[in-house]
């Protein structure tokens, strides 16, 4: 065969060819032949490595043991070869689930006695979602998390992202309710998105077995056995604790002794005297062989989140994660998975004096490729929350997760709202396009369970010495990052907004509504009246238009749908005692008006203030946030904006204006999202080289005529404060030859 006939990838995906007309919910999904059975093991005797009953009990709780059991159902089965898996397919994922509701288990108020999962499987909820235009639900982490001390479970240290079991936490429901929720979602043409945490576990059964040096369990983690003669290099563990964080001197001593790779590129959640390095040392632990040992283990995040080792010869960590994947997708019935903390799966020693290579490592890319491929192989898709540079997001997207969380422009649009200036946002959008990150591969989200992260690593670290155009001059990336961070802190915290709090060095604890309140100059949330609520709602809808009227997934939470305000710190003082200010942005909310008298969620989170009310209340009011959101999502669906192609972020005639130009499915049609981030009415010109003179400009919401593109490829618009427009530009047909 000649070179000119060599194979080239087809524009039609395998899934489109293999299932040309089959409904998305009926496409091939791998299922278990028999649901996972759980057995109760008797607790008896002392909880240590020399007690066989304790070891057996730990094995009954172990994620690795569960993974070994469930994985055997799939080996050698033809079902594992029915789906394409090699390459990410973001547009197929977006077509499958375009608008997501992101839940947070401990903050949802349910009916008395009703579990979180049962409430999410309620038909009235899915009717409301269908009315608004929401077709997927991300549950958040619902499996057991936290740790074990002896026979006793300990609570989660990070919002259930320190998983210790494949079993659903009884605080949130059970597996039957999870499967019923998946069935209800499928009935309404929707999907359920679960979580997998490939970067770490909690200190559960697997970690305790690893400390005891049982079988290949130490291979799950980045943990190193320290010889007794070197225990003098380790700090003492305070009474009542099972480990202690290393200070910088101990970290360096252990590196020089050849035990660990030493300091990493950064210390996430740094807190003096609490977490000064990414390493901790255990207290002496008696193993199953009766030998007493001390270990040093890596944790990128909190001390209770030991990091998983993806390149141990036993591949025990990999087996644990893949087993959890199969359980969520093929047994419980979810359609997709979030990969949490998946940018930190590789760590390698660098040259002397340099920090270890721990971000953007090729092993992270390889591990993500393996996980995402397995998910695609059984018929699902993945998305990732990757707090790294835009270059890293592009690299991992080439072979890893199908979708990435939009940490590219999320801080940009918050900065635009806070300052009334879209220049940094436009720079973010253009940089995304220049580097090659397709906006259709991103999950454009408003508030989730975390703080408003600055996400400025692309500028402050990856391109710190590069020059970027900003406010009429060339500015170093590092200086740009500092400028944006200062702007956000000045406008959104402190005297301007004491109801928002800085979260370590990572971002700001706030809700979308309190970001808007700060941007409007409201310094006291208790003074918000009906007029203020209307202004907040208007700006909230502006942010919804920004995120929804561009290619990719649009995601929002119950905090967004209900217009929740932050909690007073005094109501969550105990939770804030460790320095984790994010608890103020996780107020309990009653999405469906299920329990009006409840003052707390069943998990104990205090009920917050809702500006918009429950969904049933809003759906009875045509002026409500939910009803106006419905109109935005109807335009998004009608013109298939989610799978359009972003082709231009043009210059604007007013600093508060933003214009995004999208190529729609019809070659003669463009979709323009035109937004005003300023808290004042503006008038200006929309101009782009992609606008053909003579083209008709119409309003996507009501089909009314707006303008005709002039000979300068432009037209005039007027926008109210925090207003937006969705415009259809249709090129006039070419005149027929005489």
């Amino acid at each position: 065969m000649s070179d000119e006939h060599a194979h080239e990838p087809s524009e039609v995906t395998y899934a489109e060819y293999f299932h040309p007309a089959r409904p998305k919910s009926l496409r091939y999904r791998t299922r278990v032949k028999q649901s996972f059975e759980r057995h109760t093991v008797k607790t008896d005797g002392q909880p240590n490595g020399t007690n066989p009953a304790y070891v057996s009990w730990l094995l009954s709780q172990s994620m690795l043991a569960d993974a070994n059991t469930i994985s055997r159902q799939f080996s050698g089965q033809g079902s594992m070869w029915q789906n394409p898996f090699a390459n990410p397919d973001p547009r197929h994922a977006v077509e499958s689930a375009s608008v997501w509701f992101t839940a947070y288990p401990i903050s949802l108020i349910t009916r008395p006695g009703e579990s979180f999962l049962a409430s999410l499987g309620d038909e009235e909820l899915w009717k409301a979602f269908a009315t608004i235009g929401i077709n997927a639900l991300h549950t958040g982490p619902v499996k057991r998390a936290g740790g074990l001390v002896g026979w006793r479970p300990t609570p989660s240290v990070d919002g259930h992202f320190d998983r210790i079991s494949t079993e659903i936490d009884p605080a949130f429901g059970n597996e039957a309710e999870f499967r019923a929720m998946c069935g209800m979602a499928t009935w309404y043409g929707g999907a359920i998105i679960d979580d997998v945490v490939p970067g770490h576990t909690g200190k559960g059964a697997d970690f305790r077995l690893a400390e005891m040096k049982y079988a290949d369990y130490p291979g799950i983690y980045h943990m190193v056995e320290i010889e007794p003669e070197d225990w003098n290099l380790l700090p003492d563990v305070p009474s009542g604790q099972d480990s202690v964080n290393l200070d910088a001197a101990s970290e360096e001593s252990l590196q020089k002794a050849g035990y660990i790779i030493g300091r990493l590129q950064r210390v996430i959640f740094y807190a003096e005297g609490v977490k000064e390095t990414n390493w901790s040392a255990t207290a002496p632990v008696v193993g199953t062989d009766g030998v007493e040992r001390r270990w040093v283990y890596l944790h990128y995040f909190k001390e209770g989140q030991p990091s998983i080792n993806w390149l141990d010869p036993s591949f025990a960590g990999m087996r644990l994660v893949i087993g959890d994947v199969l359980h969520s997708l093929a047994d419980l019935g979810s359609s997709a998975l979030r990969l949490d903390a998946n940018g930190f799966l590789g760590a390698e020693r660098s040259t002397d004096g340099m920090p270890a290579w721990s971000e953007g490592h090729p092993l992270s890319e390889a591990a993500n490729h393996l996980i995402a491929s397995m998910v695609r192989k059984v018929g699902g898709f993945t998305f990732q929350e990757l707090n790294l540079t835009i270059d890293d997001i592009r690299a991992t997207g080439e072979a890893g997760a199908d979708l990435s969380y939009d940490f590219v422009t999320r801080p940009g649009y918050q900065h635009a709202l806070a300052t009334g200036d879209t220049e940094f946002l436009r720079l973010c959008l253009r940089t995304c396009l220049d580097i090659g990150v397709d906006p259709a591969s991103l999950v454009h989200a408003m508030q989730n369970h975390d703080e408003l992260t600055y996400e400025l690593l692309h500028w402050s670290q990856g391109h710190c010495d590069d020059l970027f155009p900003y406010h009429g001059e060339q500015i170093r990336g590092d200086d740009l990052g500092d400028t944006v961070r200062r702007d956000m802190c000045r406008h959104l915290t402190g005297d301007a907004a004491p109801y928002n709090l800085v979260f370590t060095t990572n971002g700001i604890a706030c809700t979308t509504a309190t970001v808007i309140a700060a941007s409007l100059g409201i310094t006291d949330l208790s003074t918000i009246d009906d007029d203020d609520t209307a202004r907040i709602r208007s700006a909230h809808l502006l942010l919804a238009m920004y995120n929804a009227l561009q290619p990719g997934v649009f995601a929002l939470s119950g905090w967004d749908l209900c217009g929740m305000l932050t909690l007073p710190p005094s109501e969550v003082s105990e939770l804030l005692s460790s320095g984790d200010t994010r608890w103020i942005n996780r107020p309990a909310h009653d999405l469906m008006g299920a329990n009006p008298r409840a003052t707390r969620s069943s998990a104990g989170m205090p009920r917050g203030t809702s500006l918009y009310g429950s969904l049933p209340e809003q759906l009875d009011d045509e002026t409500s946030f939910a009803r106006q959101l419905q109109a935005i999502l109807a335009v998004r669906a009608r013109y298939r904006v989610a799978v359009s192609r972003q082709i231009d972020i043009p210059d604007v005639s007013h600093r508060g204006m933003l214009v995004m130009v999208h190529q729609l499915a019809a070659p003669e049609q463009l979709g323009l999202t035109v937004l005003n981030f300023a808290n004042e009415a503006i008038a200006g010109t929309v101009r782009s080289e992609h606008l053909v003179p003579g083209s008709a400009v119409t309003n996507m919401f009501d089909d009314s005529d707006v303008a005709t593109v002039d000979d300068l490829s432009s037209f005039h618009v007027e926008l109210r404060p925090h207003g937006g427009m969705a415009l259809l530009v249709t090129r006039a047909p070419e005149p027929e030859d005489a």
Side-chain angles (χ1 to χ4, degrees):
M1 183 172 66
S2 64
D3 290 342
E4 63 179 308
H5 296 297
H7 174 73
E8 293 183 359
S10 171
E11 293 184 2
V12 178
T13 68
Y14 178 87
E16 290 168 339
Y17 176 79
F18 192 67
H19 308 293
R22 188 181 298 183
K24 297 180 183 68
S25 60
L26 297 180
R27 287 180 177 171
Y28 190 87
R29 294 284 305 283
T30 301
R31 298 292 189 195
V32 294
K33 294 183 177 180
Q34 183 177 0
S35 291
F36 193 81
E37 294 185 11
R38 303 189 182 278
H39 304 283
T40 301
V41 176
K42 184 179 180 181
T43 58
D44 183 39
Q46 292 297 312
N48 58 47
T50 61
N51 179 5
Y54 183 58
V55 174
S56 296
W57 181 78
L58 289 176
L59 288 170
S60 73
Q61 311 287 313
S62 161
M63 296 177 70
L64 180 58
D66 287 354
N68 292 336
T69 299
I70 196 169
S71 298
R72 295 188 190 105
Q73 290 201 43
F74 300 94
S75 298
Q77 300 298 311
S79 61
M80 293 299 294
W81 299 100
Q82 303 306 310
N83 293 300
F85 63 86
N87 300 310
D89 192 353
R91 290 174 183 270
H92 178 61
V94 171
E95 288 269 30
S96 301
S98 171
V99 181
W100 300 358
F101 172 78
T102 56
Y104 191 62
I106 65 175
S107 294
L108 188 67
I109 294 175
T110 64
R111 297 183 184 92
E114 182 182 49
S115 74
F116 168 75
L117 291 176
S119 71
L120 293 186
D122 181 71
E123 186 165 12
E124 292 305 311
L125 173 66
W126 281 93
K127 285 181 180 178
F129 282 170
T131 298
I132 296 169
I134 297 168
N135 58 10
L137 187 155
H138 177 213
T139 63
V142 294
K143 295 182 178 180
R144 287 185 182 271
L148 292 172
V149 174
W151 305 102
R152 178 175 58 86
T154 57
S156 170
V157 299
D158 190 25
H160 269 69
F161 287 98
D162 45 346
R163 179 170 296 172
I164 61 171
S165 174
T166 59
E167 185 179 5
I168 300 293
D169 191 319
F172 304 137
N174 55 50
E175 293 187 353
E177 290 172 332
F178 194 107
R179 295 185 183 101
M181 174 184 64
C182 292
M184 185 61 69
T186 300
W187 180 259
Y188 279 88
I192 297 298
I193 303 166
D194 194 8
D195 288 81
V196 66
V197 187
H200 54 255
T201 70
K203 287 186 174 179
D206 297 278
F207 186 74
R208 298 309 178 197
L209 288 165
E211 286 182 314
M212 297 174 185
K213 204 174 184 179
Y214 178 82
D216 55 3
Y217 277 76
I220 297 174
Y221 301 102
H222 285 282
M223 59 191 306
V224 179
E225 181 181 348
I226 307 301
E227 296 298 331
E229 58 266 27
D230 290 325
W231 285 10
N232 62 297
L233 301 177
L234 303 176
D236 294 331
V237 177
S239 176
Q241 298 183 26
D242 61 2
S243 62
V244 62
N245 190 245
L246 300 184
D247 59 23
S250 298
E251 178 185 58
E252 184 178 6
S253 296
L254 288 165
Q255 179 187 4
K256 289 180 177 179
Y259 284 111
I260 62 176
I261 59 176
R263 66 188 178 100
L264 274 54
Q265 288 170 265
R266 59 176 166 149
V267 180
I268 300 174
F269 298 161
Y270 175 89
E272 186 175 356
V274 177
K275 187 190 177 189
E276 298 183 358
T277 72
N278 295 299
W279 300 91
S280 285
T282 70
V285 179
V286 177
T288 54
D289 55 3
V291 176
E292 193 174 55
R293 296 178 176 85
R294 292 193 72 185
W295 306 80
V296 170
Y297 66 94
L298 175 69
H299 52 97
Y300 283 100
F301 298 98
K302 298 184 179 181
E303 191 173 323
Q305 296 169 290
S307 294
I308 292 175
N309 185 353
W310 276 84
L311 202 58
D312 183 80
S314 69
F315 292 100
M318 180 189 298
R319 288 187 284 128
L320 180 151
V321 173
I322 295 301
D324 196 20
V325 164
L326 293 173
H327 176 250
S328 289
L329 294 168
D331 192 352
L332 294 181
S334 56
S335 299
L337 294 173
R338 174 176 63 175
L339 308 181
D340 183 71
N342 69 316
F344 310 99
L345 306 186
E348 179 178 341
R349 182 169 182 167
S350 297
T351 56
D352 289 342
M354 298 295 292
W357 185 8
S358 56
E359 299 186 11
H361 194 283
L363 179 57
S364 284
E365 297 175 22
N368 278 288
H369 191 185
L370 283 170
I371 301 166
S373 292
M374 180 59 72
V375 172
R376 287 189 288 268
K377 202 170 187 182
V378 296
F381 67 87
T382 55
F383 83 100
Q384 61 186 358
E385 290 192 21
L386 202 59
N387 177 15
L388 295 175
T389 68
I390 302 174
D391 312 80
D392 290 324
I393 292 173
R394 180 200 61 197
T396 57
E398 290 175 353
D402 298 281
L403 302 168
S404 295
Y405 203 79
D406 183 2
F407 285 138
V408 177
T409 73
R410 186 168 179 250
Y413 77 73
Q414 302 278 12
H415 180 265
L417 185 72
T419 63
D421 184 351
T422 65
E423 183 163 358
F424 178 62
L425 174 57
R426 284 180 275 122
L427 176 61
C428 292
L429 288 162
R430 289 168 177 167
T431 303
C432 180
L433 291 177
D434 290 343
I435 289 178
V437 175
D438 183 356
S441 69
L442 299 177
V443 177
H444 309 288
M446 293 199 285
Q447 186 191 347
N448 66 11
H449 64 280
D450 271 329
E451 76 287 359
L452 165 58
T453 42
Y454 300 126
E455 305 302 344
L456 299 169
L457 288 176
H458 183 83
W459 324 99
S460 298
Q461 292 190 18
H463 296 268
C464 59
D465 292 321
D466 294 349
L467 295 177
F468 298 93
Y470 190 65
H471 288 173
E473 60 183 46
Q474 295 291 311
I475 183 172
R476 291 176 63 253
D478 192 31
D479 294 331
L480 175 60
D482 287 344
T483 298
V484 171
R485 189 180 296 107
R486 285 196 303 269
D487 286 345
M488 295 177 77
C489 287
R490 183 174 70 254
H491 287 280
L492 302 180
T493 65
D495 292 339
Y499 42 80
N500 297 327
L501 298 176
V502 171
F503 173 65
T504 65
T505 59
N506 219 46
I508 299 169
C510 54
T511 67
T512 305
T514 62
V515 167
I516 297 168
S519 302
L520 293 172
I522 297 171
T523 58
D524 185 348
L525 297 182
S526 67
T527 66
I528 292 176
D529 56 21
D530 289 345
D531 289 339
D532 292 329
T533 297
R535 292 195 298 154
I536 290 172
R537 182 173 61 235
S538 181
H540 210 152
L541 290 164
L542 169 81
L543 300 185
M545 289 185 70
Y546 168 77
N547 285 289
L549 297 182
Q550 65 172 302
V553 166
F554 169 52
L556 75 169
S557 63
W559 298 300
D560 287 307
L561 285 172
C562 295
M564 301 301 298
L565 303 180
T566 50
L567 291 166
S570 59
E571 293 194 23
V572 284
S573 57
E574 185 176 343
L575 294 171
L576 299 183
S577 61
S578 66
D580 191 343
T581 57
R582 293 175 297 177
W583 293 104
I584 69 166
N585 61 242
R586 297 166 176 169
H589 50 281
D590 193 347
L591 188 64
M592 292 299 291
N595 196 351
R597 296 183 179 180
T599 59
R600 293 178 177 269
S601 68
S602 58
M605 283 301 294
R607 187 181 193 126
T609 299
S610 168
L611 298 181
Y612 307 155
S614 68
L615 287 187
E617 292 171 326
Q618 292 189 60
L619 293 177
D620 285 338
D621 176 6
E622 292 301 320
T623 67
S624 69
F625 177 81
R627 280 297 186 186
Q628 294 184 72
L629 177 65
Q630 177 187 8
I632 295 170
L633 297 182
V635 165
R636 171 183 167 91
R638 177 184 177 187
Y639 292 96
R640 303 187 72 232
V641 175
V643 289
S644 64
R645 186 166 55 90
Q646 193 168 98
I647 57 176
D648 193 18
I649 306 296
D651 290 332
V652 291
S653 55
H654 188 283
R655 64 196 295 267
M657 185 187 293
L658 176 74
V659 178
M660 297 184 287
V661 182
H662 304 121
Q663 177 63 61
L664 302 179
E668 72 280 4
Q669 291 186 331
L670 299 177
L672 270 63
T673 304
V674 184
L675 306 173
N676 175 19
F677 281 82
N679 189 25
E680 62 182 9
I682 65 173
T685 299
V686 174
R687 186 181 186 282
S688 171
E689 63 181 15
H690 295 277
L691 299 177
V692 177
S695 297
V697 183
T698 57
N699 189 322
M700 285 181 169
F701 285 98
D702 59 14
D703 298 324
S704 61
D705 294 332
V706 174
T708 300
V709 178
D710 62 26
D711 289 343
L712 295 177
S713 297
S714 65
F715 60 90
H716 181 76
V717 294
E718 295 181 2
L719 294 164
R720 60 177 173 78
H722 293 146
M725 306 175 76
L727 303 176
L728 179 67
V729 179
T730 305
R731 189 170 63 245
E734 297 289 339
E736 296 182 5
D737 293 335

